[in-house]
Amino acid sequence: MDGKKSKISVYIYICIFIAILFMGTVLNVKNIPKAVTGGDYTDGFFGRYTFVEINGRITKKLGIKEMNERLLLDSGDSLVNPMYGNVWLFDNVEKTVDLSRKLSDKNIPFLYVQVPYEIDMNDDEPILKTEHSDDVANEFLQRIRAEGVECLDLRAYIATEYPDYYEAFFRTDHHWKSETAFSAMGWISEYMEDRIFHESVPGEYKDPASYETEIIEDSFLGANGRRTGKNYAGLDDFTVLTPKFETSLTLCDDNGELKTGSFDEVLLYREYLDSDSLYENSMYDVYTGLDRDYFKIINNEPVIDKKIFVVKDSFSRPVIAFMSTIYREIVAVDVRYNDPEKESLYEIIDREDPDVVLMMYNPYMLGTEEGFDFE
Amino acid sequence: MVFSSLVFLFVFLSITLAVYYLLKPLPIVFRNVWLLIASILFYAYGEPEYVFLLLASIVINYACGFFIERCKDTVKAKIWLVTAVTVDLLILFVFKYLNFSVSLLGDLTMKLFGFGIESPGLSLPIGISFFTFQAISYVVDVYRGSAKAQKNPLYLGLYIAMFPQLIAGPIVRYKTIEEQIEHRNVQTVDFALGIERFSIGFSKKVLLANTFAIMADKTFGLARDGDFLTAPLAWLGAISYSLQIFFDFSGYSDMAIGLGRMFGFKYEENFNYPYMSGTVTEFWRRWHISLGSFFRDYVYIPLGGSRVGRGRLILNLFIVWFLTGIWHGAGFNFMLWGLMYFVLLTFEKLTGIGKGLKGILSICYRTFTLVAVVFGWVLFRAESLGTAKRFILSMIGLGDDFYSGIAPWYMKQYWLFFAVAFILCTPVLTFLLKKFEHKTWYGVVKPVIVMAFFMISLTYLVVNAYNPFIYFNF
């Protein structure tokens, strides 16, 4: 760097660099305590989602199909979270079998419901040859079935009902759509009618025509999409299903009754439908709100006088909401958030004394320890 | 704390630079003390429990350096030198190799006597290999009389703990910056050159190294899990890792050199287009130059270098390359990697191959060198010998099915990154840019492009994109 030209270079370098450092520091002063205490400094970084969107646009322009550990599939433009690595825990098989046996001793039926994953096992995207969500679920089911645990594999229903597998799921979120969750409620209810309760649920409760359909178009950026921005992932439509028939429900948590009213009043958390909070909120949380350790829905005018206990993950929330219109009580426990020191899953089951226990897990849960912390 | 992070840029660097230049009107001692405080905080951010180890290393080497000089040319000086080097190596052994040694011993006692020995489970203090080697170079240089003992312990602390080179090198010799510690003056042009170098290194790390890391980690993960790894995919993974480690390491060195320059320090170069090497010997003259020259000056030459008999030469080479291997990590794969270079370099030394090769033979040997280096990186990267074996078998076509479609799938997406990386592995761009240096527009366009890449790199950090730190073994 010499002469007049070098002076220009020197000033350009210094001006731009100092400007970036100065603005980046000043605009994020509030995050410094987080940085000092080892918190996530990036979370809350000024203009974070503008950066995310710029990055998403560049990545998409370059034709790159992976961004921030998410994979953009050709099939339906779905953005998915592949389960690379054949991860599952043998302990989890034992714990599930144990749970089933202990319930059997108390004459409480147990049903393991295999929730599908967001990736179609028949997808011919090359990289998915190393994706193992279905292998994990197959292995787990095979082992617990061999030990006499009753299982309902919803993947088979999805394969039959959805010729385009990805239609069952949001494009930008790992969860199934409201409509799919509603179908799942129907499949589970029918299975219980036939195999456990031997009592029929009137068809209207499982018929989508009995529900109002409210479609909010191009409004939902799912959990996968929030990692890449909408420029990369696009947006989903979101459907809210509300019963046309009369409902009277009561929602309770650990502290007692929260609210009583109709399905809409009690189970729909409409604040999550605000499309202006694209990056902060997930519309998927509209049904029963965020994941929590325990909640109970009491149907004050039940169709079937049974108490269902659900060991759940996030896929179960809309299913439970729809199910609550039928059964007397639904108790939902998310073991990941439950403190077993306070009250273990077994203790909660003893206290609630349900007519059936359902365990509904998606394949990702089968490789986690926290999802099986029962005692 | 790593350089390629928002916390480093917008908390640590901005505050350190601001305070440093606010202190400019005052004597240099104030700036040096501030740099030392900042460097200790930098280290403490990631390794608070090991700050005292770093400080102890500074105090011990300061004291030994002081006594070495005081007892110059006497036996006592040698005793102080041996004491310092022993303590430095002991610290390195305890924190870097004790777990590995105890677990080996445990395996042995289990086989022989039926009981194992529990590993102490010590975590590896980050950068310990770098700061320990810097400390050794200081006491040895003082002993040899090629540097004077530092009178001010804070200044020695600054040399050993100076944050730009603390966690990923380069290994800076004391004599290189001895003068600069007390007498340096940062011109505006130095500061700008520092920014340019830092930004280039930052972009190399974030845009190139991290991208290649995706493919490298994927393929080595497949080998580790016994998953589907075909020959094309294994080659893609091996080449990706070769590019990842080059752009990561040379990027870190660029950032260190650039940061040093911003504070008035001029460090030596650490990389010089290593993948252009015609022989393995040349590769090690161009790759991690500060480490190669450390082993040459402090191990190989004191052992007699190459001016010894054939048997002794082989032994010297074996010692140097065994040490080079385990310096990179406590594991059999690092030993094997070091020994691979021992074999190749001994072969080159004894046959003199490579020196007089011309035409097609030269191209063939250059290709062989590059392929050997790539295979070496497989040994280096694999988490176990089993993984390395599986990976290498796949590379030579003895693994799974030959074709899975995954390698072309990656190439289709990342071809541009490969093209840019291959160009940057050669001096072509530097050569072309030199032709434009005299043009008026060049003074504007170059900094604008460099800073544009820096800003694009920033978006990757805000996204929280994949950003592995690969020096945890050092």
Side-chain angles (χ1 to χ4, degrees), chain B residues 66-324:
Chain B
F66 175 81
F67 287 117
I68 288 167
E69 192 167 77
R70 207 167 139 181
C71 311
K72 203 162 181 55
D73 300 328
T74 67
V75 179
K76 281 184 182 172
K78 196 170 238 172
I79 293 171
W80 281 111
L81 174 69
V82 170
T83 307
V85 173
T86 307
V87 170
D88 286 332
L89 292 179
L90 198 66
I91 290 174
L92 196 59
F93 176 79
V94 168
F95 288 96
K96 189 163 176 173
Y97 304 106
L98 191 62
N99 285 343
F100 180 65
S101 308
V102 170
S103 82
L104 284 186
L105 195 65
D107 290 347
L108 195 68
T109 56
M110 182 59 89
K111 273 184 188 155
L112 294 177
F113 310 112
F115 67 87
I117 303 172
E118 202 172 318
S119 161
L122 289 168
S123 63
L124 179 66
I126 207 160
I128 191 169
S129 306
F130 288 103
F131 71 72
T132 304
F133 270 33
Q134 291 207 171
I136 291 173
S137 94
Y138 166 72
V139 287
V140 174
D141 285 357
V142 171
Y143 177 79
R144 286 174 175 170
S146 53
K148 287 181 184 161
Q150 178 54 257
K151 302 285 179 291
N152 187 338
L154 297 181
Y155 286 3
L156 184 70
L158 181 60
Y159 159 67
I160 292 177
M162 175 82 174
F163 75 88
Q165 88 275 344
L166 183 58
I167 55 167
I171 299 165
V172 178
R173 303 285 184 88
Y174 179 67
K175 58 188 174 192
T176 308
I177 62 157
E178 183 183 15
E179 185 69 13
Q180 297 169 30
I181 290 176
E182 291 180 68
H183 306 284
R184 66 182 186 279
N185 191 17
V186 195
Q187 304 291 329
T188 319
V189 70
D190 284 316
F191 191 74
L193 282 170
I195 292 172
E196 180 184 87
R197 194 67 188 269
F198 176 79
S199 304
I200 289 171
F202 189 85
S203 305
K204 279 163 77 173
K205 159 68 182 158
V206 175
L207 299 179
L208 293 175
N210 288 356
T211 299
F212 293 116
I214 293 170
M215 289 171 276
D217 290 358
K218 172 77 188 172
T219 48
F220 279 91
L222 291 175
R224 181 199 55 218
D225 298 341
D227 216 326
F228 198 68
L229 185 65
T230 61
L233 191 56
W235 273 100
L236 182 88
I239 292 168
S240 295
Y241 184 67
S242 305
L243 294 171
Q244 179 200 348
I245 193 165
F246 172 58
F247 287 107
D248 203 303
F249 209 171
S250 69
Y252 255 90
S253 290
D254 288 339
M255 286 189 270
I257 291 168
L259 287 167
R261 199 84 190 239
M262 286 185 216
F263 293 100
F265 291 94
K266 288 175 184 162
Y267 298 153
E268 306 276 348
E269 291 298 330
N270 208 21
F271 289 87
N272 180 25
Y273 303 107
Y275 294 148
M276 291 295 293
S277 305
T279 63
V280 179
T281 308
E282 188 187 349
F283 173 77
W284 275 101
R285 282 199 207 109
R286 292 167 172 266
W287 178 274
H288 201 174
I289 297 165
S290 62
L291 180 73
S293 61
F294 180 95
F295 276 113
R296 183 194 62 214
D297 295 346
Y298 298 104
V299 182
Y300 184 64
I301 290 174
L303 285 171
S306 48
R307 291 177 184 172
V308 287
R310 182 172 282 206
R312 183 58 197 254
L313 172 67
I314 293 172
L315 178 67
N316 290 351
L317 286 168
F318 175 81
I319 292 170
V320 166
W321 289 100
F322 178 75
L323 292 176
T324 303

Side-chain angles (χ1 to χ4, degrees), chain A residues 66-349:
Chain A
E66 288 173 311
M67 180 176 168
N68 212 0
E69 295 173 4
R70 295 298 180 267
L71 175 67
L72 190 61
L73 297 170
D74 285 339
S75 324
D77 267 351
S78 285
L79 186 70
V80 296
N81 180 18
M83 274 176 62
Y84 296 130
N86 202 345
V87 184
W88 64 281
L89 297 172
F90 187 74
D91 271 2
N92 293 346
V93 171
E94 281 183 7
K95 286 175 183 171
T96 309
V97 172
D98 241 26
L99 176 63
S100 168
R101 286 190 181 144
K102 281 179 182 161
L103 291 170
S104 175
D105 291 345
K106 292 173 187 167
N107 290 321
I108 301 173
F110 174 77
L111 176 65
Y112 175 78
V113 180
Q114 183 59 61
V115 172
Y117 203 61
E118 57 179 327
I119 296 171
D120 181 2
M121 61 181 157
N122 298 314
D123 195 315
D124 56 7
E125 192 90 34
I127 194 68
L128 292 180
K129 286 176 183 161
T130 62
E131 205 276 341
H132 292 296
S133 54
D134 265 304
D135 302 333
V136 166
N138 289 340
E139 182 88 27
F140 186 83
L141 282 174
Q142 188 193 332
R143 286 175 185 258
I144 61 171
R145 272 188 178 130
E147 297 293 333
V149 176
E150 191 161 357
C151 301
L152 171 63
D153 188 354
L154 294 185
R155 294 176 302 168
Y157 290 83
I158 297 277
T160 312
E161 297 292 320
Y162 291 87
D164 177 1
Y165 185 87
Y166 294 103
E167 272 299 304
F169 295 84
F170 291 109
R171 286 179 41 254
T172 68
D173 197 77
H174 54 293
H175 293 111
W176 46 21
K177 291 179 178 172
S178 310
E179 295 90 332
T180 319
F182 184 82
S183 302
M185 177 277 292
W187 301 326
I188 296 166
S189 295
E190 278 163 20
Y191 188 90
M192 290 196 296
E193 282 169 39
D194 294 345
R195 309 283 287 267
I196 298 171
F197 297 143
H198 310 291
E199 193 171 350
S200 291
V201 177
E204 65 191 90
Y205 290 91
K206 296 176 285 180
D207 182 0
S210 307
Y211 277 71
E212 284 300 346
T213 304
E214 180 187 347
I215 299 172
I216 310 168
E217 289 182 352
D218 289 335
S219 58
F220 176 41
L221 188 62
N224 294 330
R226 285 199 293 281
R227 294 175 67 97
T228 65
K230 62 179 176 180
N231 281 336
Y232 189 80
L235 289 170
D236 270 300
D237 296 342
F238 190 86
T239 305
V240 185
L241 297 174
T242 326
K244 288 176 184 166
F245 51 86
E246 292 283 312
T247 47
S248 171
L249 305 168
T250 300
L251 179 67
C252 310
D253 69 4
D254 286 334
N255 303 315
E257 184 179 328
L258 290 175
K259 47 189 171 178
T260 295
S262 67
F263 181 95
D264 199 329
E265 291 162 341
V266 173
L267 298 186
L268 294 187
Y269 285 64
R270 285 189 174 269
E271 60 269 32
Y272 292 112
L273 296 177
D274 177 12
S275 54
D276 292 336
S277 312
L278 206 58
Y279 302 101
E280 286 80 31
N281 285 340
S282 170
M283 287 191 172
Y284 183 78
D285 295 328
V286 70
Y287 297 102
T288 75
L290 297 171
D291 277 323
R292 47 191 145 170
D293 56 348
Y294 167 96
F295 67 89
K296 185 196 294 198
I297 306 167
I298 301 166
N299 188 336
N300 302 310
E301 294 160 6
V303 180
I304 305 283
D305 187 23
K306 298 287 182 192
K307 184 173 189 173
I308 319 279
F309 190 103
V310 185
V311 183
K312 62 168 276 285
D313 64 14
S314 56
F315 280 74
S316 317
R317 277 184 279 143
V319 179
I320 288 168
F322 301 131
M323 217 177 239
S324 70
T325 63
I326 302 171
Y327 299 98
R328 172 168 51 86
E329 269 183 51
I330 314 269
V331 178
V333 172
D334 197 323
V335 179
R336 293 171 299 173
Y337 303 96
N338 188 48
D339 176 9
E341 298 290 318
K342 209 170 118 193
E343 193 175 24
S344 73
L345 179 74
Y346 283 112
E347 288 165 339
I348 302 173
I349 293 173

